[in-house]
Amino acid sequence: MEENKKDTIIYPWGHERPFNSYALYFRRMLGERVQKLSIDAGFTCPNRDGNKGSGGCTFCNNSAFSPSYCQPSKSVAQQLEEGIEFHKNRYRRATKYLAYFQSFSNTYADLDHLKKIYQQAMDHPEVVGIVIGTRPDCIDERKLEYFGRLAEERYVIIEYGVESCYDRTLKRINRGHDFETSVKAIELTKDYGVKTGAHIIFGLPGESHEDMIQTSQIMSQLPLDNIKFHQLQVMHGTLMAEDYEQNPEDFKFFELDEYIQFISNYLETLNPNFVVERFASEAPPRYVLGSADWGLRNDQVVIEVEKELRRRGSYQGKRYL
């Protein structure tokens, strides 16, 4: 770390925030604000269509996180145009966009179909890159070779739903794969020169505080570029809602102050090279069955985490290794 003339600490990631900020990462790389546009390209999931299982992951309710313009009946190009119009009213400083293929498993199709889908996004003049959300068991070397070629032209990242490092948890939430599958997918993706991200959920049933904190060290050893965190929210109409109603004692929802302390502890041992994309999830209240009521938006949660780190004189990776 360095100190400038005003005694402001500049961290190894090149700015004064005590964590490796996603927004500032893009501002350094591209010189301006970048906004993500969610896309629903009509993919499904091997855990829904019977290939791996049925019913999907127990926590899954894509509707809770999808903007109104995201409809698979619309082309990718149309969703991009509507998304840009939507965000221009909300984020006036954004002039460049990432096409975020969010719903379900966005590599779960043959390669020819994937090429048609992703080329629509790459052809848009205001799109500087693509973000591909998928499962770690829906990738292979032919697909990664293709994404590697795209990554030579634009920003490309594949974000894997890891969710937990513990196989017992993955079995309970009906993921249909083990943690080793995630490890192999992340390592293989990196081998092909494609950026990698991971999603982790805190508060899954049966996991202790120590289990969750330990994942910081486990994930830190993987060749990740980005990482995204969610606190558990149980959504209406999901299989997890049934589990929650039958076994409420197995579920613990973080109160806000508790979560701020937890995530600050977590960051202290997290690999400082990881760009932190999100600290918490946010869903419309009508979808949520079980969760603590924080009364804050995601950006406000980030501010509270930053305050806590500064109060401690701490930062991401302070106790890494």
Side-chain angles (χ1 to χ4, degrees):
M1 295 183 296
E2 299 178 359
E3 292 189 8
N4 63 20
K5 294 181 180 180
K6 296 181 180 179
D7 296 326
T8 299
I9 296 175
I10 302 299
Y11 294 95
W13 38 87
H15 57 75
E16 70 278 5
R17 302 192 80 172
F19 59 90
N20 200 341
S21 163
Y22 185 73
L24 294 182
Y25 165 77
F26 279 103
R27 192 165 295 173
R28 292 197 314 274
M29 183 169 63
L30 299 173
E32 57 188 315
R33 181 189 174 106
V34 176
Q35 180 62 44
K36 289 170 73 173
L37 302 174
S38 295
I39 302 294
D40 186 339
F43 290 98
T44 183
C45 171
N47 205 17
R48 286 178 171 271
D49 66 5
N51 192 347
K52 285 289 183 72
S54 60
C57 304
T58 64
F59 57 82
C60 186
N61 183 343
N62 269 272
S63 300
F65 303 100
S66 298
S68 58
Y69 65 83
C70 279
Q71 298 177 20
S73 59
K74 302 175 183 178
S75 69
V76 170
Q78 182 180 354
Q79 290 183 62
L80 286 171
E81 288 297 331
E82 293 183 14
I84 288 171
E85 187 64 29
F86 173 83
H87 284 290
K88 277 184 175 177
N89 294 326
R90 189 175 181 185
Y91 303 106
R92 298 182 184 276
R93 291 176 294 166
T95 58
K96 299 296 182 183
Y97 300 91
L98 297 173
Y100 178 25
F101 292 84
Q102 179 180 16
S103 300
F104 300 113
S105 302
N106 291 273
T107 57
Y108 187 48
D110 64 74
L111 184 56
D112 288 340
H113 182 69
L114 296 182
K115 289 179 179 179
K116 293 176 184 177
I117 292 293
Y118 291 112
Q119 196 58 50
Q120 290 184 61
M122 298 293 277
D123 285 343
H124 196 286
E126 294 181 72
V127 170
V128 296
I130 54 177
V131 180
I132 303 160
T134 194
R135 289 167 56 94
D137 55 359
C138 291
I139 201 69
D140 57 51
E141 295 196 43
R142 288 189 66 231
K143 292 172 183 175
L144 287 172
E145 184 179 6
Y146 163 68
F147 289 123
R149 290 196 300 271
L150 292 185
E152 294 173 0
E153 306 172 30
R154 307 275 186 87
Y155 178 86
V156 176
I157 186 167
I158 299 178
E159 295 186 352
Y160 292 108
V162 175
E163 317 309 357
S164 173
C165 296
Y166 304 106
D167 288 346
R168 67 181 187 278
T169 303
L170 296 173
K171 183 176 181 180
R172 180 165 181 173
I173 63 175
N174 196 39
R175 278 296 289 177
H177 66 76
D178 59 10
F179 178 61
E180 184 61 24
T181 301
S182 296
V183 172
K184 290 179 179 178
I186 291 167
E187 292 175 343
L188 187 62
T189 303
K190 199 66 175 179
D191 287 345
Y192 276 87
V194 181
K195 292 185 181 298
T196 60
H199 298 190
I200 294 290
I201 300 175
F202 295 129
L204 289 169
E207 291 194 359
S208 67
H209 182 276
E210 291 72 22
D211 289 336
M212 290 182 275
I213 285 290
Q214 182 66 25
T215 66
S216 176
Q217 298 178 41
I218 297 171
M219 297 301 293
S220 287
Q221 305 312 308
L222 298 179
L224 289 168
D225 295 281
N226 292 10
I227 195 162
K228 180 187 292 184
F229 305 123
H230 303 260
Q231 86 284 14
L232 180 65
Q233 294 177 294
V234 177
M235 302 297 172
H236 286 288
T238 62
L239 293 172
M240 184 170 282
E242 298 177 14
D243 190 2
Y244 171 54
E245 290 174 341
Q246 294 172 9
N247 305 287
E249 69 280 359
D250 290 350
F251 289 75
K252 181 179 185 310
F253 302 113
F254 282 96
E255 297 295 337
L256 177 60
D257 290 345
E258 181 185 22
Y259 192 73
I260 299 301
Q261 295 298 317
F262 168 82
I263 204 70
S264 298
N265 293 338
Y266 194 97
L267 286 171
E268 288 181 339
T269 59
L270 185 69
N271 190 326
N273 294 317
F274 291 178
V275 176
V276 181
E277 184 173 348
R278 176 179 288 173
F279 288 117
S281 57
E282 189 175 8
R286 67 182 183 275
Y287 288 103
V288 181
L289 172 65
S291 177
D293 182 11
W294 291 356
L296 296 180
R297 301 187 310 272
N298 280 348
D299 56 340
Q300 295 172 309
V301 174
V302 174
I303 291 170
E304 294 304 311
V305 172
E306 186 167 357
K307 285 180 182 177
E308 174 59 22
L309 289 172
R310 293 190 187 283
R311 186 193 68 77
R312 298 180 181 192
S314 193
Y315 52 90
Q316 179 181 337
K318 182 177 182 178
R319 296 189 291 122
Y320 174 61
L321 297 182

